[in-house]
Amino acid sequence: MERESLIKLPPSEDERQLIHKVFLKTIDPAAVSFKSRLLPPNTVWMENAKLKNMFICHPQNRNMYNKIFGGFLMRVACELAWANAYVFSKCMPRMLHIDDILFRKPVEVGSLLYLASQVAYVYGNRMVVRVSAEVVNAESGKHDLTNNFYFILEVDREVPKVMPKSYEEAMIFLDGRRHLAEPEGTAEITSKL
């Protein structure tokens, strides 16, 4: 998935068309303006599908290299993704898939770890929840990305789709869509909104 990152490669023609189609669904036809946006039925703005948390990284969570154990990072990210899916869907979710995890940078003992989860994409009763883990320097306010985690969760009923408002959210939406299509291995997901 790293080689298909939207940071390295632009969206495909089909993805650009999809984003334009999604954007047009949110335009108020009576206003004749790009600024007048409406939320389509059975959708939620992506900005309202987030949960965040912050941890102090204690020594009991360190590994033999005196860094924070990757399993701890995975656990807290998984718990936040699950909680976000539960709050978003209002149903008890089941974890279906945890995507490959790449540890970009080590996390030092004593660090402030900021976790931000986002429902990135919804297909029927399945959700892709993206969790970014960042170390925060409290004095400078600088955030340093250490990991991105992707989780696919499922509930017993269909949930509202997420609707991007900005280009950044549209890229997260496409990224989530790509992550859902990969484990499913079906073209059906990639051809529908």
Side-chain angles (χ1 to χ4, degrees):
M1 241 6 222
E2 186 72 19
R3 69 182 181 282
E4 297 175 16
S5 168
L6 286 163
I7 291 177
K8 294 179 181 178
L9 295 172
S12 69
E13 183 58 32
D14 288 344
E15 290 171 330
R16 286 193 291 272
Q17 292 294 326
L18 174 63
I19 290 303
H20 188 67
K21 179 179 155 188
V22 167
F23 173 72
L24 290 177
K25 284 183 176 185
T26 68
I27 299 297
D28 182 358
V32 193
S33 169
F34 289 138
K35 289 185 178 183
S36 184
R37 307 283 295 272
L38 296 173
L39 187 62
N42 199 33
T43 62
V44 173
W45 292 120
M46 284 183 76
E47 65 189 18
N48 298 325
K50 296 180 178 182
L51 272 183
K52 301 172 184 178
N53 204 348
M54 188 172 274
F55 296 92
I56 299 170
C57 295
H58 294 286
Q60 64 262 32
N61 296 314
R62 69 177 179 233
N63 61 20
M64 65 184 190
Y65 303 106
N66 220 23
K67 309 291 184 199
I68 296 302
F69 176 56
F72 171 76
L73 300 174
M74 291 170 16
R75 190 195 90 217
V76 295
C78 185
E79 288 171 355
L80 186 61
W82 185 89
N84 194 1
Y86 196 3
V87 169
F88 178 76
S89 67
K90 299 173 180 49
C91 296
M92 182 81 67
R94 291 177 300 282
M95 188 69 65
L96 288 183
H97 180 79
I98 299 173
D99 212 350
D100 293 340
I101 297 170
L102 173 66
F103 293 98
R104 299 177 186 278
K105 294 181 182 176
V107 177
E108 302 292 334
V109 171
S111 296
L112 290 175
L113 183 66
Y114 173 75
L115 295 174
S117 69
Q118 167 77 63
V119 177
Y121 187 76
V122 173
Y123 181 78
N125 65 338
R126 293 184 177 182
M127 297 162 277
V128 176
V129 181
R130 175 182 184 262
V131 178
S132 64
E134 302 171 350
V135 171
V136 177
N137 182 322
E139 294 166 5
S140 70
K142 183 182 174 211
H143 288 232
D144 197 15
L145 181 70
T146 64
N147 300 86
N148 278 321
F149 302 92
Y150 293 87
F151 303 94
I152 299 174
L153 297 102
E154 179 181 65
V155 294
D156 289 332
R157 63 181 161 94
E158 206 163 297
V159 294
K161 292 180 173 23
V162 288
M163 193 62 62
K165 264 189 183 177
S166 67
Y167 188 77
E168 176 190 5
E169 287 179 348
M171 293 303 100
I172 292 169
F173 177 87
L174 289 178
D175 193 38
R177 185 172 173 263
R178 287 178 178 186
H179 281 270
L180 184 60
E182 185 177 295
E184 293 300 309
T186 114
E188 177 187 8
I189 289 171
T190 58
S191 67
K192 293 184 178 178
L193 171 59

